[in-house]
Amino acid sequence: MSDTNMPYVPPAWAFEFHGHRCPFMPLGYRMGLLALEKLGVAREKDHALHVICELGEGHPQTCMMDGIQVATGATFGKTLMEKTFWGKLAATFWYPGKTPVRYVLKPDFLDRFGAFEFFQYRKQGVEPSAIPEAVTQEVIDWTLSLPDDAIYSVSERPDFQYQPPKGSFNRSICSVCGESVFERYVRMKDGKPVCIPCSGYKA
Amino acid sequence: MSDTNMPYVPPAWAFEFHGHRCPFMPLGYRMGLLALEKLGVAREKDHALHVICELGEGHPQTCMMDGIQVATGATFGKTLMEKTFWGKLAATFWYPGKTPVRYVLKPDFLDRFGAFEFFQYRKQGVEPSAIPEAVTQEVIDWTLSLPDDAIYSVSERPDFQYQPPKGSFNRSICSVCGESVFERYVRMKDGKPVCIPCSGYKA
């Protein structure tokens, strides 16, 4: 492992949060750190930075997004992270007043990455927590030995449009189930306010 | 603060992950711990537990979801957490072979909760990291002093259907942008494989 890239080693609590050791979370962590540096902003404490991930579901390497959450503070809970369901290993980082930046994993990096023993286990259905630690560490160390531009392509996206939703604290009670529902999601049915599941509407 | 509820105090790294101190992340953390106990499962290392959150965007208290990620290991990055965009402070916890359970914050709890000074700051647009620590701690301590059933309603949902998407490692190259795209998201245009953004299709 190159000492140069040691700042890209996630903190121990990042692995605790994530639940297992794997090479994808650290790749997202590094992507997140690079994006903050490129944007010239600090880790997000509150609600300014937004990350639009191009990943989807039912494919590997989504764990990257946990690394991005950890590095940037743009967490799913703060509604700062979303995904487009495009199945691409890319993310755009948007911050008010800054030129958005997009990072994507390079195809030739992915080909070399995919040749490691770790992926033989995964393709046999072995879950990451059950893969021998040395096998996982081998591929993590390999990624850490690479320079940034061997892994990521980066581009500025001055055309990228993003508008955070306007917030409101207003809350109502659904007239059917009696549960709380925030106003923007209240629907009307038979002249009464209801929540979406009680309305029967799709959205 | 009641000693009884001390296990519900999130670890320090949970606040570091989240980025600020607020009362919602701890409420989600506690909900997640209760759900694991109710299901009789351990914190998720890999990919079995799924949490379907009924929250949305543009409303407060979404930070709960970061607490749920921290407590349960059902993280967004592992594609184990999603939201329905219903604006409700509820989540259903699904685990293979177990009866799903749903937790929701009680409306009368929310009314008492909303009377704390913390919310005066928030409604004035003050971000959580800028609210005096004592003001935030007051409301966190109050929630910790309450028994579980003063905060949450819980219900078993034997009818709840969830089917994790079938996974595949197959990856292609978009014939337009040259980037990698996982097979389930490859589309065809003019006889060639493309990624969704290059296709111009909506999905």
Side-chain angles (χ1 to χ4, degrees):
Chain A
M1 192 189 310
S2 155
D3 283 332
T4 317
N5 291 333
M6 283 299 283
Y8 297 136
V9 177
W13 64 259
F15 290 101
E16 192 171 346
F17 168 71
H18 188 53
H20 61 230
R21 291 186 76 79
C22 73
F24 316 117
M25 189 278 279
L27 280 172
Y29 179 76
R30 182 172 179 175
M31 183 192 281
L33 291 183
L34 291 171
L36 291 183
E37 190 182 359
K38 179 91 175 163
L39 287 169
V41 301
R43 188 178 191 277
E44 181 59 55
K45 290 181 180 174
D46 297 306
H47 302 98
L49 177 68
H50 286 67
V51 185
I52 299 88
C53 300
E54 298 181 21
L55 294 92
E57 61 183 11
H59 66 74
Q61 311 191 11
T62 59
C63 294
M64 268 180 54
M65 295 186 288
D66 280 350
I68 296 173
Q69 290 192 91
V70 166
T72 64
T75 67
F76 183 68
K78 291 190 290 184
T79 68
L80 303 180
M81 175 170 282
E82 57 192 85
K83 59 186 176 187
T84 62
F85 293 90
W86 291 347
K88 301 186 73 168
L89 298 167
T92 296
F93 298 78
W94 179 95
Y95 194 92
K98 303 280 186 177
T99 302
V101 290
R102 177 177 185 266
Y103 283 77
V104 58
L105 298 188
K106 291 184 170 178
D108 59 339
F109 163 77
L110 290 169
D111 290 341
R112 292 167 68 199
F113 188 52
F116 277 82
E117 189 181 3
F118 178 87
F119 289 90
Q120 293 177 29
Y121 283 93
R122 290 296 290 129
K123 288 178 183 176
Q124 287 163 14
V126 180
E127 286 283 26
S129 71
I131 294 175
E133 193 171 325
V135 169
T136 304
Q137 199 57 45
E138 178 195 27
V139 61
I140 293 177
D141 287 347
W142 175 72
T143 65
L144 289 168
S145 76
L146 297 174
D148 300 335
D149 66 1
I151 303 175
Y152 308 99
S153 290
V154 54
S155 54
E156 297 198 339
R157 301 193 61 192
D159 56 309
F160 186 84
Q161 299 293 322
Y162 183 77
Q163 181 67 48
K166 196 171 154 53
S168 164
F169 283 80
N170 294 342
R171 187 164 47 81
S172 293
I173 295 289
C174 171
S175 61
V176 174
C177 68
E179 292 183 350
S180 294
V181 51
F182 285 98
E183 202 169 50
R184 64 184 290 141
Y185 293 103
V186 173
R187 301 292 179 262
M188 291 301 288
K189 192 172 186 183
D190 300 329
K192 289 182 177 172
V194 293
C195 69
I196 292 174
C198 287
S199 75
Y201 305 148
K202 275 191 168 176
Chain B
M1 189 192 311
S2 157
D3 285 332
T4 316
N5 291 333
M6 285 298 284
Y8 297 136
V9 177
W13 65 259
F15 290 101
E16 190 171 348
F17 168 70
H18 188 53
H20 61 230
R21 291 186 75 80
C22 75
F24 316 118
M25 189 278 280
L27 281 172
Y29 179 76
R30 182 171 178 176
M31 182 192 282
L33 291 183
L34 291 170
L36 291 183
E37 189 181 359
K38 179 92 175 161
L39 287 170
V41 300
R43 188 178 192 277
E44 180 59 56
K45 290 181 180 174
D46 297 306
H47 303 98
L49 177 68
H50 285 68
V51 185
I52 298 89
C53 299
E54 298 182 21
L55 294 93
E57 61 184 10
H59 66 75
Q61 311 190 13
T62 57
C63 293
M64 269 178 53
M65 296 187 286
D66 279 351
I68 296 173
Q69 291 191 90
V70 166
T72 64
T75 66
F76 182 67
K78 289 189 291 184
T79 68
L80 302 180
M81 174 170 285
E82 58 192 84
K83 59 186 176 187
T84 62
F85 293 89
W86 291 347
K88 302 186 72 168
L89 298 167
T92 296
F93 299 78
W94 178 94
Y95 194 93
K98 304 278 185 177
T99 302
V101 290
R102 178 179 184 265
Y103 283 77
V104 58
L105 298 189
K106 291 184 170 179
D108 59 340
F109 163 76
L110 290 170
D111 289 341
R112 293 167 67 201
F113 188 52
F116 277 81
E117 191 182 2
F118 177 86
F119 289 90
Q120 293 176 29
Y121 283 92
R122 290 296 289 129
K123 287 178 184 177
Q124 286 163 16
V126 181
E127 287 283 27
S129 72
I131 295 176
E133 192 171 326
V135 169
T136 304
Q137 199 57 45
E138 179 195 27
V139 62
I140 293 177
D141 286 347
W142 175 72
T143 65
L144 289 168
S145 75
L146 297 174
D148 300 334
D149 65 1
I151 304 175
Y152 308 98
S153 291
V154 54
S155 54
E156 296 198 340
R157 301 194 61 192
D159 56 309
F160 186 85
Q161 298 293 323
Y162 183 77
Q163 181 67 48
K166 195 170 155 53
S168 164
F169 284 79
N170 294 343
R171 186 164 47 82
S172 292
I173 295 289
C174 171
S175 61
V176 174
C177 68
E179 293 183 350
S180 294
V181 51
F182 285 99
E183 201 168 51
R184 66 185 288 140
Y185 294 103
V186 173
R187 300 295 178 260
M188 291 300 287
K189 193 172 185 184
D190 300 328
K192 289 180 177 171
V194 292
C195 69
I196 292 175
C198 287
S199 76
Y201 306 146
K202 276 190 168 176

